[in-house]
Each structure stands twice: as structure tokens, then as C-alpha cells.
């Protein structure tokens, strides 16, 4: 049978990463956090590289860098993500990952709309900007980084605005995506809702 693809999109810090990992573990599928691709390109640009050249020469080990989680890299990622040639260079890696025999979970911004429009299950995970900023802030503090809640909030909002406004593969729910608002959900509730939504497509 054809591989089953689960597309999980949404804005920054809505809970996509946590939900995607849990869904992939539940269904025993491979998982790709596609934000890491843009973050790896953004990190190279911060080191002086050309964005398109960096995207074309990306190798899987580039995704294992711990510094990719920082806020500066996140902003650089959303800046390179507006460039059509960068997105084009990263397309085939994502599509071939989605074709894995055992099925795959991909999370990002344009998985259900552009990368895997034929995905069997599509989820759009969202939460209020305040809740998302607080979660990202808590995450940074927990990792021992210094953070300021107002700055993190401004950062998250700037990144969402850029991701939604761009002409290439903007952040938006696919017409056939199931919406999951995690603002008032625990992690367990959000994961259960996601698994139920996928099971409804099986
Ligand atoms: O998901 P994450 O916060 O790691 O993504 C970093 C940035 O990469 C996003 O703000 C977005 O601009 C870009 N991105 C994208 N398309 C994806 C995944 C991430 O444009 N599929």
C-alpha cells in the first residue's frame, strides 16, 4: 500500500514539535521537523554563507547542530524561508522523506499545502500568540538561556507575520486540514486530539 503521510503545520511554538513526535511514536512512523532545514540554512547565513548556495549544499548532519534552537537562528530561518530558490532546493528532500515505506510525519508551515498536498492526514496546530510566546519563553529559560517575555513575544509575532505574508508557500491551513487549538489544552489532550484526527483518516 502507498505510504501514509501525516502533515502537521502551524505557527511558531503552537505545540507542533511535541505533537509531531508523539504522533510519529504512536503510529511508529519516521518524523521530519522541516523547520530544522530552514534553521540550518539560516545558521549558515549568519556565518556569512549565501542562502541559496547553503540550501543547495545542505547535508543531513547539518540538522544535528544544537545551536539551531536559538531565537537568532529562528529569525534568520524565517528570512531565508521567503526566498523561492531556497524553498525549491529543500523540496525534494522533504518529498522523498514523505515517501518512506513505513509512512512519515512532517511538521512545518507548508507541508499540507505545498510539500505534501496529497497527505492522507493534515493537521493545523495553533494557539493564541500570548500562549505561544509564553511557551517559547519557558522553553528558553529551561534551556538556561536568558530571555525576556516581551522580546520573545515580539519575536514570535514578527516571525508569524513574515511566514503568513510571504508569497512563496505562506503559512495557512490547507482546506482539508483539521484545526487543533492548543491554547487551553494540556500536552496529553493535544496529542490525543491529534491521534484521533489521524485515526479518522485511516
Ligand atoms: O518550525 P520552526 O520554528 O523551526 O521554523 C523556523 C522557520 O522556518 C519558520 O519561522 C519559517 O519561516 C520557516 N519554515 C518554513 N517552512 C517550513 C518549516 C519552517 O518556511 N515547512
Amino acid at each position: 500500500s502507498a505510504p501514509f503521510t501525516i502533515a502537521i503545520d502551524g505557527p511558531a511554538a503552537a505545540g507542533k514539535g511535541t505533537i509531531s513526535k508523539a504522533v510519529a511514536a504512536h503510529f511508529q512512523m519516521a518524523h521530519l521537523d522541516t523547520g530544522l532545514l530552514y534553521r540550518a540554512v539560516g545558521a549558515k547565513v549568519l556565518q556569512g554563507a549565501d542562502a541559496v548556495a547553503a540550501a543547495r549544499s545542505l547535508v543531513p548532519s547539518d540538522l544535528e547542530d544544537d545551536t539551531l534552537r536559538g531565537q537568532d537562528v529562528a529569525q534568520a530561518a524565517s528570512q531565508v524561508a521567503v526566498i523561492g530558490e531556497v524553498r525549491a532546493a529543500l523540496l525534494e528532500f522533504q518529498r522523498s522523506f514523505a515517501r518512506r515505506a513505513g509512512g512519515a510525519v512532517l511538521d512545518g508551515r507548508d507541508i499540507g499545502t505545498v510539500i505534501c498536498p496529497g497527505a492522507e492526514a493534515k493537521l493545523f496546530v495553533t494557539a493564541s500568540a500570548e500562549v505561544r510566546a509564553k511557551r517559547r519563553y519557558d522553553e528558553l529559560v529551561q534551556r538556561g538561556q536568558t530571555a525576556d517575555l516581551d522580546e520573545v513575544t515580539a519575536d514570535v509575532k514578527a516571525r508569524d507575520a513574515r511566514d503568513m505574508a510571504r508569497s512563496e508557500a505562506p503559512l495557512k491551513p490547507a482546506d482539508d486540514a483539521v484545526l487543533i487549538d492548543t491554547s487551553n489544552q494540556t500536552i496529553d489532550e493535544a496529542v490525543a486530539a491529534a491521534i484521533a484526527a489521524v485515526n479518522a483518516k485511516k
Side-chain angles (χ1 to χ4, degrees):
S1 66
F4 194 93
T5 303
I6 302 173
I8 304 184
D9 292 306
K16 286 191 310 290
T18 305
I19 290 173
S20 300
K21 280 192 205 97
V23 166
H26 179 86
F27 292 105
Q28 296 187 306
M29 290 176 175
H31 168 228
L32 179 64
D33 168 1
T34 66
L36 282 179
L37 299 171
Y38 296 90
R39 284 172 183 265
V41 174
K44 291 194 178 206
V45 167
L46 290 177
Q47 291 159 10
D50 170 74
V52 177
R56 289 184 180 149
S57 60
L58 212 63
V59 291
S61 63
D62 291 334
L63 308 183
E64 283 155 27
D65 185 345
D66 277 342
T67 67
L68 298 184
R69 288 283 139 221
Q71 289 286 103
D72 49 340
V73 175
Q75 289 297 336
S78 83
Q79 281 160 3
V80 303
V82 306
I83 306 169
E85 292 103 315
V86 166
R87 307 198 71 84
L90 303 176
L91 184 80
E92 194 42 44
F93 178 80
Q94 297 173 79
R95 287 207 175 139
S96 63
F97 192 96
R99 287 193 294 266
R100 284 181 177 216
V105 179
L106 284 80
D107 77 290
R109 302 292 186 288
D110 63 339
I111 308 304
T113 51
V114 173
I115 305 295
C116 304
E120 282 73 13
K122 297 181 186 179
L123 308 182
F124 194 85
V125 178
T126 183
S128 73
E130 289 67 31
V131 166
R132 293 186 293 107
K134 180 66 166 62
R135 285 184 190 154
R136 181 51 47 92
Y137 170 82
D138 289 344
E139 207 178 286
L140 290 168
V141 169
Q142 208 180 11
R143 252 187 283 127
Q145 298 186 19
T146 47
D148 175 89
L149 183 57
D150 289 338
E151 259 174 52
V152 174
T153 305
D155 246 51
V156 162
K157 286 184 176 169
R159 201 141 65 88
D160 291 344
R162 198 183 294 123
D163 289 347
M164 291 187 290
R166 70 183 179 220
S167 58
E168 298 276 342
L171 168 65
K172 64 166 184 214
D175 293 336
D176 50 349
V178 175
L179 299 188
I180 297 181
D181 187 331
T182 67
S183 300
N184 300 305
Q185 285 181 327
T186 63
I187 291 175
D188 287 350
E189 287 167 345
V191 168
I195 290 171
V198 173
N199 274 326
K201 306 284 179 184
K202 283 226 168 227

